[in-house]
């Protein structure tokens, strides 16, 4: 069984850019790079669809998290710590001193 070949983002961008320039046909590009013409067409469509995001201004790589979400997460962490401690004590009472401890 053969494994699928994975192409890097740089390679895809290079081929898609050549396809957008239309200096060579899709069939010629496929022969040049040894890939199927359908893949080139898909990469070209993806590149064109995502091109606007390059000019969208300052975008942060990290999603914005509100203070309210942080407070909710801290509350959940506290709740889980209390539950863990309770279950740890309960299991030691049930299993006794010879029970498994991590």
């Amino acid at each position: 069984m053969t494994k699928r070949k994975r192409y890097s983002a740089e390679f895809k961008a290079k081929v898609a850019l050549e396809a957008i320039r239309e200096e060579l046909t899709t069939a010629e590009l496929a022969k040049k790079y040894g890939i199927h013409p359908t893949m080139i067409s898909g990469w070209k469509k993806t590149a064109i669809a995502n091109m606007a995001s390059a000019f969208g201004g300052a975008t942060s790589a990290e999603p914005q998290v509100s203070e309210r979400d942080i407070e909710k997460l801290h509350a959940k962490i506290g709740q889980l710590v209390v539950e863990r401690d309770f279950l740890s004590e309960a299991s030691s009472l049930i299993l006794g001193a010879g029970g498994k401890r991590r």
Side-chain angles (χ1 to χ4, degrees):
M1 185 183 303
T2 60
K3 290 189 174 187
R4 290 185 182 192
K5 178 145 180 159
R6 303 230 182 234
Y7 299 100
S8 69
E10 291 81 17
F11 177 77
K12 292 178 184 180
K14 176 182 171 184
V15 175
L17 185 59
E18 284 192 42
I20 291 170
R21 288 184 186 151
E22 295 182 348
E23 293 172 353
L24 297 173
T25 65
T26 305
E28 291 170 335
L29 286 172
K31 187 174 182 181
K32 178 180 176 181
Y33 291 107
I35 54 179
H36 199 274
T38 305
M39 292 177 76
I40 295 173
S41 299
W43 295 346
K44 179 181 174 182
K45 287 179 185 176
T46 302
I48 291 172
N50 294 325
M51 199 174 295
S53 65
F55 301 103
T59 57
S60 64
E62 296 181 24
Q64 297 297 322
V65 181
S66 70
E67 288 293 323
R68 184 173 182 209
D69 290 338
I70 292 173
E71 289 177 20
K72 288 170 79 175
L73 291 172
H74 284 163
K76 186 66 174 178
I77 290 170
Q79 176 188 352
L80 293 173
V81 167
V82 169
E83 289 176 5
R84 181 199 63 198
D85 293 343
F86 172 80
L87 292 173
S88 176
E89 287 183 33
S91 67
S92 68
L93 291 174
I94 292 171
L95 297 175
K100 285 188 177 180
R101 298 285 287 180
R102 290 186 182 191

